[in-house]
Amino acid sequence: MLKRICLFLVLSMLVVAAAPIIFAKEPVVLDLWSHWGSEQRRPTINKIVATWNEAHPDVQVKYTFVPFDQKDQKYLASVAAGNPCDVIVTDIRTVAIRAAHKQNTDLTKYGAAKMRSAYAENLWNTVLYKGRVYALPFVTDTRVLFYDKDAFKEVGLDPEKPPATWKEFEEYAAKLDKKDADGKYVRIGFSPRFSFGYDGWVPNAGGSFWDRKFERPQINSKKNIEVLQWMKNWVDKYGLSTLDTFKAAFGGQMNSPFIAGKTPFHIDVITYAATIKKYKPDMNYGMAFIPTPNGKQHKSATWGGGFVVEVPRGAKHPKEAYEFAKYFTTEGATVWCREQYDIPAYLAAYRDAQLESDPVFVFAEKVMPYTAVTPAPFYAQTYGDYINKAVDDVLAGRATPKEALDRAQESVLKLVAQNKANEGR
Amino acid sequence: MADARAGRRVLARRQILAGYMFVAPWVLGFLFFTAGPMIFSFIASFTNYDVTSRFDLIGLANFRNMLFNDSRFWTALYNTAFYTLFAVPLGIIVGLTLAVLQNVRVPGVRYFRTIFYLPAVLTGVPVYMLWLWILNPQGGLVNAALGLFGITGPAWLADANWAKPGYILMSSWGACAGSLMYLAALKGIPSQMYEVAELDGARGLRRFFAITVPLISPVIFFRLVTGISGSLQMFAPALVMSESGAGGPSDSTLFYGLYLWRRAFVELNMGYASAMAWFLLGLVLVLTVIQLKLQHRWVFYEGGEK
């Protein structure tokens, strides 16, 4: 009898002890991946996550930093293994490709389509595949011309009048060239080799490597050949090896030639303003539109990349993940952009008081209408490799622009045909 | 009589068993971890596999495209062959030279051995970062050294003509570690051989080529075979050291492994990449068989060939 009572007591104690575990609702834990882990980026993302966690005791978010150059592979491998994270910050240009490869989750069934009007239209377009929504747009960026006002003054240029046309750009740059007694360049006005690149200058001149649907390459178009010839001429003025040696002496952001006063022009994403602020806060610089051939800004005068938020296919809690993604790309994006100078996809963020009073952000907003955010071509993600080779060959004098671009066109046509054949099965 | 034969058979069986026991860890590892993926990739090479959404048989299309429709495939193969052709002999020469130097009886030779072995301790990405500085056109160690002789060094990795030689130069880093194997072989050469040779009037280089090289030729042969297969698979340095890992400038450092990787993980064309991997395996096999056939012309095994 005593034995039984003891047993009963022990059992009931167990039940009482276990009750909180059995009856209390376990919070859902979402795993969030992004490549933001630097001392500049990390505090902001922590802040965004902490705000959510405080308001949602039942849905807790755990943040994991994944290095940028490993993220795509880890994302792919985790989906293939059936064990992905719940939310991931990833590249804006390749959403449709991942959708076609069944890597991300269709968010339409959670009501994502209703969010359409909350985001900038050109960014919203990047998250669609066959009319369904596979991501929510987070931020974009844009490239602008930074120029050194002190150098302008030194050579008698008006520091409030940056160049607007290609011709002016070349003239200004020539004025800013400076050699030492031995005839070696100590300052190089500008070279299209340094920043922006051929893939920036082609759309800037109104050209394109692709047709409207990004399916058929037109790499060797007349305009593209002209632009490459223009680059070649400008590089030849200095000599390729002069430029490469000049460039090789610099490395890293702290040691950027623009900040060091060695190149008075620099084209970079607008967040470069934060870099200058960090490494040379007293630098007297200006920001301007990137010059175009005729001086008129148009909708692809510069370009932007950016990031979206996706829910990987096979995520354990897609519904909660979507809710977090919505918060992250709206309220979260506002906080992010205040601190990081990125440009939000979320339109309401533009009316944020702090952002509206920031001159860098205000300028970024002005540049946005002239910024192209283009998807990666569906059938030729690596087409840039072929173009880079063409550019390298031309600048080193191994081929004429036409020869090199004809070859690239032929190769990319083959690549597209192969990938199309694979897709079609 | 019969008993003795039976006893010998038992012994032989035991020895065979022991042999299998010794190779078992490798065989088991191979069966469990490597064989499966290998078979899978062989099948995948005949499909349009992309990891997440498709796995349809497409016959020989991958191989056909690779051989007849892809100029970059040939560029990659050429770059890799070029690298192998120079890096492997350089590795053998550097390794052997260092081994001979370390074999000289001078005070403090142990310290030199430690110093020469240090590069083997340091490998991977940190070494590539180091070499980015060594090969830096301005102020890099190599060009600074050339400058002492009044030579203006090339831009190395930034110049399509000099990027591959840059990587070949870098490959000698690993050769230092290889010298340890030569050193062990050198130690095994009986000193009487040299004494006899000296009596016969052979000295210096003649002694080196008539005695040293033949007697350590099995090690050289081993380094040659593994060196060729290793060089053909060279991948990581170009991924780390070329701009955004794309094999530039002008595709001059697009090595076979790097191109395979880009097709597999940038483009998700896993089927195509598998086809490339099997082509490389075939190539390595053919080269190895040729070397095995040719070896009896120059490789000297003490106690005769097996």
Side-chain angles (χ1 to χ4, degrees), chain A residues 73 76 79-80 101-102 245 248-249 381-382 385-386 389 392-393 398 411 414-415 418-419 422-423 425, chain B residues 48 50-54 56 58 65 69 71-72 136 138 160 249-251 262-263 266-269:
Chain A
Q73 284 78 43
L76 176 70
V79 170
H101 289 283
K102 301 196 173 113
T245 313
Q381 278 193 80
T382 51
D385 291 354
Y386 297 86
K389 172 162 165 45
D392 286 345
D393 281 346
R398 279 190 295 270
S411 299
K414 282 183 188 164
L415 184 72
Q418 286 170 28
N419 285 336
N422 278 341
E423 210 70 49
R425 272 161 221 271
Chain B
N48 60 1
D50 74 337
V51 185
T52 42
S53 72
R54 51 178 205 224
D56 312 313
I58 55 170
N65 284 334
N69 249 332
S71 58
R72 289 190 104 204
N136 188 299
Q138 267 201 330
S250 276
D251 283 352
R262 286 187 73 77
R263 287 307 285 249
V266 179
E267 224 181 72
L268 299 185
N269 216 326

Side-chain angles (χ1 to χ4, degrees), chain A residues 188-419:
Chain A
I188 287 184
F190 184 75
S191 160
R193 171 94 170 148
F194 284 167
S195 39
F196 209 40
Y198 183 54
D199 50 344
W201 291 113
V202 161
N204 174 280
S208 170
F209 295 124
W210 294 90
D211 67 345
R212 255 164 208 285
K213 288 163 79 186
F214 285 86
E215 280 184 12
R216 205 192 138 72
Q218 45 187 45
I219 294 165
N220 56 349
S221 72
K222 198 166 153 266
K223 173 137 286 159
N224 296 356
I225 294 171
E226 280 169 21
V227 173
L228 191 49
Q229 186 62 53
W230 170 76
M231 265 182 85
K232 165 81 173 150
N233 294 345
W234 204 338
V235 164
D236 282 352
K237 187 186 130 186
Y238 299 102
L240 182 65
S241 64
T242 310
L243 293 177
D244 284 344
T245 313
F246 194 85
K247 196 176 152 192
F250 297 94
Q253 296 195 308
M254 204 167 24
N255 195 10
S256 123
F258 179 71
I259 291 177
K262 300 287 183 184
T263 53
F265 287 115
H266 180 69
I267 297 175
D268 212 325
V269 285
I270 202 138
T271 49
Y272 187 72
T275 309
I276 300 176
K277 203 165 158 189
K278 184 161 178 196
Y279 295 111
K280 201 179 178 189
D282 57 343
M283 184 163 185
N284 186 17
Y285 72 95
M287 283 186 290
F289 296 105
I290 295 173
T292 58
N294 62 8
K296 283 205 184 81
Q297 291 293 312
H298 54 87
K299 66 181 192 316
S300 64
T302 182
W303 65 275
F307 296 97
V308 296
V309 176
E310 284 178 7
V311 177
R313 185 161 299 208
K316 300 284 173 305
H317 309 287
K319 197 165 163 284
E320 290 85 353
Y322 169 70
E323 288 305 318
F324 177 73
K326 213 162 80 181
Y327 155 82
F328 194 81
T329 54
T330 54
E331 284 170 63
T334 312
V335 176
W336 178 264
C337 295
R338 257 184 224 153
E339 297 182 8
Q340 304 292 342
Y341 282 152
D342 274 326
I343 302 153
Y346 180 49
L347 293 170
Y350 287 82
R351 294 189 296 274
D352 180 72
Q354 194 184 328
L355 285 177
E356 269 186 329
S357 64
D358 190 318
V360 174
F361 187 79
V362 169
F363 183 65
E365 218 184 318
K366 262 196 240 162
V367 185
M368 277 326 283
Y370 311 117
T371 305
V373 181
T374 49
F378 204 84
Y379 298 113
Q381 278 193 80
T382 51
Y383 83 99
D385 291 354
Y386 297 86
I387 290 174
N388 287 342
K389 172 162 165 45
V391 173
D392 286 345
D393 281 346
V394 168
L395 296 187
R398 279 190 295 270
T400 68
K402 182 161 170 25
E403 286 163 6
L405 293 176
D406 281 349
R407 270 205 297 265
Q409 169 76 5
E410 194 197 339
S411 299
V412 174
L413 270 175
K414 282 183 188 164
L415 184 72
V416 168
Q418 286 170 28
N419 285 336

Side-chain angles (χ1 to χ4, degrees), chain B residues 147-160:
Chain B
L148 292 179
F149 300 99
I151 303 167
T152 311
W156 293 110
L157 302 181
D159 183 330

